[in-house]
Amino acid sequence: MRDLTRLKSLQALEASARHGSFVGAAAELDVTPPAVGQLVRSLEDWVGYPLFRRSRSGAERLTPVDEAQDALDDIAEGLDLLETGLRKLRGRKARSVVVVTASQALVANWLLARLDDFSTNYPTIDVRLDVSDRVIDLAQGEADVGIRCGLGSWKGVKSTFLMSEEIIAVCHNRLLPVDRDVTAGWIVDQTLIHDGTPHPGGDFPTWAEWLARSGANQVPSERGLRINSTAAVIQAAVAARGVALVRKALVAQELDSGRLVHLLPNVRWPVKWAYYIVAAPKALRRYEIAAFHDWLVARPR
Amino acid sequence: MRDLTRLKSLQALEASARHGSFVGAAAELDVTPPAVGQLVRSLEDWVGYPLFRRSRSGAERLTPVDEAQDALDDIAEGLDLLETGLRKLRGRKARSVVVVTASQALVANWLLARLDDFSTNYPTIDVRLDVSDRVIDLAQGEADVGIRCGLGSWKGVKSTFLMSEEIIAVCHNRLLPVDRDVTAGWIVDQTLIHDGTPHPGGDFPTWAEWLARSGANQVPSERGLRINSTAAVIQAAVAARGVALVRKALVAQELDSGRLVHLLPNVRWPVKWAYYIVAAPKALRRYEIAAFHDWLVARPR
DNA sequence: GCTCACGACAAAGATTTTCTTTCTTTGCGG
DNA sequence: CCGCAAAGAAAGAAAATCTTTGTCGTGAGC
């Protein structure tokens, strides 16, 4: 008959001792520092004496009291064994699959470049990409996880912010004028590629709006290319067919490679839409779904 | 950087494996069986396969699947170490004190007889008895724990049912008639000891009420002893001063010893008041308070 | 063959625990 | 002297855990 309570507090205690601070422990436990502080103090209430000496400054803010050291060794070893046990439980699963849905533009221009890192970290989890430009019903299990660009408030799913977005003007480096700087006037004279896909509530600019903010004296006509596919708009820009207004995140690689060039970078046009990873709460109870979710949320953009 | 979640589920899993049922595990963890079932199933969702083979009958309702056995060994050992660590943390405390308040009658006739068992089980915890016939304000910290007889709904404290109560008629064995049975008629002719202490809402009978239920043909006058102290009423009965109506729990020892005799046992008079252990929620966060509380709740009456 | 007991299971709602957010305090370093 | 970092506290929100109720399946006993 085991007599064991306050598991979460023991975990918080051990992580705080190991890191020397609640801040360090909080980062490991994926909670806020006050949360760790509360857990440790509740344990101190329980045992009836302080478990740390506190320092209000310096690198080592918490020092375990001598009376706790012996116990901390047992607790650390115990938690190590629990982690080993949990890993063994997970390790017995045959390969598992995560179905990720995202738009063609997002998959091709952003997500694919990152999936190698996921497979490296999680070799037993297969990712299946379900490319779709319509909003997949995750609550109905049509996919496990979605990467979406939008306002973030979709029904029936948990959405977690990844990064914000802004609209920039780009063109192929071949199109750049050789003998003068790029100006709004220069842009007006190029073939303008219009993205016809709807972005409700997203504050996407038209070329007219963007150029007005850029200081252009004349407003362009609606001539040029009009494509109702964001992926195709980017491809047209990459193919040097004209100048395009695009979402910055989707052309990051092309910008890095120099193939596309960011025109008039001082003109900022942040939008309300941002990138989120979304999943049904029920799906997140599965290890592989939570693993993918947590991996994407944790990695730098 | 440790990666450990679902501690509660691991604990539920291990206890279920060790007991072979959720019912057994629930008893150990002090929760209901469905609670254990939910914890285990959430872990099964997490790892993606069943961890037990279920049997709908027989003594062994749950059998760990082969894949889980290896992990269960680690988890069991890990939990053992955590328990050891927690015990070491508690063990470092100097002696601690629990202040228990109860009425004179309850302390003298019930609680004192049980405290040896507590001290045996918890040698480092001192109990200080605060005898008081008024209702101590536990929320204000006037005492840590109270044993009370009442309706159970006191403000600002957690109350836990201990046992119910009934009113019985008793007298010293010296007073018993030698040559005939005890009848209601016989009782009417004795010195009746009246308990004058108030019992609001408790359904305590007067002698008149009790005797009416006993089949007495005549109703006694209000003569006899009238004492406004339950403890003194019991002492008067023990001193053979007359026949008393008393709370059965408070005279259990005297009944067991034969000194007092339960008259007309077929006359039952259960009351709405029952015995509860009460404590402020904040006090229960201290180990020694929770230990006393859990000890009293768990022991047979 | 029927009834009862036992325990897993599921659903829904209640309760408790954990967590976040906001603000304050303290002390050290620049 | 100011800025920074982290602990601490309080209040409220969110999530996890738990309880209650009822169902189902199976075996034992009558």
Side-chain angles (χ1 to χ4, degrees), chain B residues 172-183:
Chain B
H172 197 286
N173 62 23
R174 287 208 274 109
L175 295 184
L176 289 175
V178 178
D179 53 349
R180 61 194 176 95
D181 289 341
V182 170
T183 61

Side-chain angles (χ1 to χ4, degrees), chain B:
Chain B
M1 186 71 83
R2 193 177 278 118
D3 178 24
L4 184 55
T5 66
R6 290 174 157 57
L7 293 169
K8 193 75 174 176
S9 293
L10 290 178
Q11 186 179 29
L13 174 74
E14 191 275 332
S16 300
R18 183 157 35 83
H19 289 277
S21 76
F22 293 154
V23 169
E28 173 173 308
L29 300 176
D30 200 27
V31 299
T32 61
V36 181
Q38 277 186 338
L39 285 165
V40 170
R41 279 192 297 281
S42 82
L43 198 51
E44 289 177 323
D45 283 345
W46 179 256
V47 299
Y49 60 97
L51 297 169
F52 289 111
R53 277 192 298 282
R54 269 74 159 177
S55 165
R56 299 302 288 267
S57 65
E60 207 74 357
R61 297 302 192 99
L62 303 170
T63 307
V65 298
D66 292 340
E67 296 92 321
Q69 199 53 65
D70 198 21
L72 277 165
D73 294 336
D74 288 327
I75 293 165
E77 191 179 346
L79 293 170
D80 282 343
L81 282 157
L82 290 184
E83 186 183 15
T84 299
L86 190 59
R87 204 185 303 114
K88 282 178 178 176
L89 288 181
R90 286 206 302 259
R92 287 298 190 278
K93 180 73 179 324
R95 303 183 68 79
S96 50
V97 176
V98 175
V99 180
V100 181
T101 183
S103 68
Q104 169 67 34
L106 196 52
V107 165
N109 296 289
W110 189 80
L111 186 55
L112 272 178
R114 287 158 174 74
L115 284 183
D116 281 351
D117 180 62
F118 180 76
S119 296
T120 298
N121 281 291
Y122 297 92
T124 62
I125 303 178
D126 294 326
V127 176
R128 199 174 89 217
L129 289 174
D130 183 359
V131 174
S132 173
D133 286 325
R134 72 176 176 86
V135 179
I136 296 280
D137 191 350
L138 296 172
Q140 288 303 316
E142 291 184 30
D144 297 318
V145 163
I147 320 292
R148 291 178 185 170
C149 192
L151 294 169
S153 51
W154 296 278
K155 285 188 177 235
V157 291
K158 173 183 175 181
S159 60
T160 305
F161 175 89
L162 293 173
M163 63 191 170
S164 56
E165 182 58 292
E166 68 176 301
I167 302 302
I168 63 171
V170 295
C171 73
H172 197 286
N173 62 23
R174 287 208 274 109
L175 295 184
L176 289 175
V178 178
D179 53 349
R180 61 194 176 95
D181 289 341
V182 170
T183 61
W186 179 85
I187 292 173
V188 163
D189 287 335
Q190 306 309 303
T191 300
L192 301 179
I193 305 172
H194 302 263
D195 188 334
T197 50
H199 300 91
D203 278 354
F204 281 78
T206 62
W207 266 116
E209 289 166 331
W210 194 87
L211 286 164
R213 186 175 289 185
S214 306
N217 287 331
Q218 82 263 34
V219 176
S221 70
E222 283 294 305
R223 82 181 187 285
L225 282 169
R226 183 176 200 87
I227 314 172
N228 67 342
S229 159
T230 298
V233 164
I234 293 169
Q235 281 186 290
V238 171
R241 296 302 190 91
V243 179
L245 285 173
V246 297
R247 290 187 245 155
K248 188 176 184 182
L250 301 183
V251 294
Q253 278 181 286
E254 308 296 349
L255 293 173
D256 286 344
S257 72
R259 219 172 359 259
L260 289 183
V261 176
H262 185 171
L263 308 175
L264 302 187
N266 289 341
V267 178
R268 311 302 302 267
W269 196 287
V271 291
K272 288 198 175 80
W273 278 26
Y275 294 94
Y276 297 83
I277 182 169
V278 296
K282 190 174 160 98
L284 285 167
R285 289 183 217 142
R286 285 159 55 202
Y287 164 67
E288 60 271 19
I289 312 303
F292 185 88
H293 176 280
D294 293 350
W295 162 81
L296 194 60
V297 166
R299 64 175 282 118
R301 311 292 172 251

Side-chain angles (χ1 to χ4, degrees), chain A residues 187-259:
Chain A
I187 293 174
V188 165
D189 289 335
Q190 308 308 304
T191 301
L192 301 178
I193 306 172
H194 301 260
D195 188 335
T197 50
H199 300 89
D203 278 356
F204 280 78
T206 61
W207 266 115
E209 290 166 331
W210 194 87
L211 286 163
R213 184 175 290 185
S214 306
N217 289 328
Q218 83 262 33
V219 177
S221 70
E222 283 294 305
R223 83 181 186 286
L225 282 169
R226 184 178 199 85
I227 316 172
N228 68 343
S229 160
T230 298
V233 163
I234 294 169
Q235 279 186 290
V238 170
R241 296 300 189 91
V243 178
L245 285 173
V246 297
R247 289 186 247 157
K248 188 175 183 182
L250 301 184
V251 295
Q253 278 180 285
E254 308 297 350
L255 292 174
D256 286 344
S257 73
R259 214 168 10 255

